[in-house]
Amino acid sequence: MRLDRAMVNEYFRELHNYILESRKAGKYAEMYLAKYISKILNDAKLLVKLRLVKSITGFDIEKNSIDEEILKSIKEAVENISKYLAGIYLVTPDGRIVVRIEKDTIINGIRYKKGDLTVIDLKSLVFYSALNIVKPIESLIAGIFSELK
């Protein structure tokens, strides 16, 4: 199911109308609306979880979906964490990952220019990689791995 902006906006308009009408109708209508919203919240959580699982397991992400960029970032996070755990990335003895800076930026109060190298922790890799600010450097193991494929 594609989550496009028009569909979500239509739901918001309808919900707004229901809220206004329930205020006029009284306490029981407001209680019914609260239960209705609670059920919608549960359904929305289930839908998000299904979309996450689909994305992580390799299904195509729908173009122009409201969550397209988020799903791509999560898929990339899984890839980065997996490569880190497999030893594909160049890692320092204290467990930080060597990365190349892709855009001028400031990380932990230090200014970097595009092309600079630095080391960051895994959480920072996931975050900055999702923003296309850093690219991890692969270790020699990555070269051996790609030759064996």
Side-chain angles (χ1 to χ4, degrees), residues 19 22-35:
I19 290 170
S22 72
R23 298 259 168 149
K24 293 177 190 174
K27 184 176 181 176
Y28 290 112
E30 286 181 355
M31 288 173 36
Y32 175 79
L33 179 63
K35 286 185 180 185

Side-chain angles (χ1 to χ4, degrees), residues 83 86-90 136-149:
K83 285 183 175 181
I88 301 291
Y89 292 151
L90 187 58
I137 303 297
E138 294 186 345
S139 68
L140 293 175
I141 293 171
I144 295 168
F145 175 71
S146 65
E147 288 175 11
L148 295 176
K149 280 194 326 180

Side-chain angles (χ1 to χ4, degrees), residues 41-88:
L41 178 60
N42 287 335
D43 290 347
K45 286 179 182 178
L46 180 60
L47 177 63
V48 169
K49 289 175 185 176
L50 288 171
R51 291 181 63 77
L52 289 171
V53 168
K54 279 180 63 177
S55 169
I56 291 170
T57 56
F59 284 86
D60 288 336
I61 298 168
E62 299 92 357
K63 299 288 183 211
N64 301 319
S65 179
I66 62 171
D67 57 356
E68 176 185 9
E69 292 302 315
I70 295 167
L71 294 175
K72 283 181 182 177
S73 294
I74 290 170
K75 198 172 189 176
E76 185 177 346
V78 169
E79 190 72 17
N80 278 327
I81 296 167
S82 300
K83 285 183 175 181
Y84 172 80
L85 293 173
I88 301 291

Side-chain angles (χ1 to χ4, degrees), residues 8-20:
V8 173
N9 285 342
E10 181 180 337
Y11 165 73
F12 289 154
R13 278 192 300 278
E14 291 296 322
L15 183 61
H16 180 73
N17 289 337
Y18 290 142
I19 290 170
L20 293 176

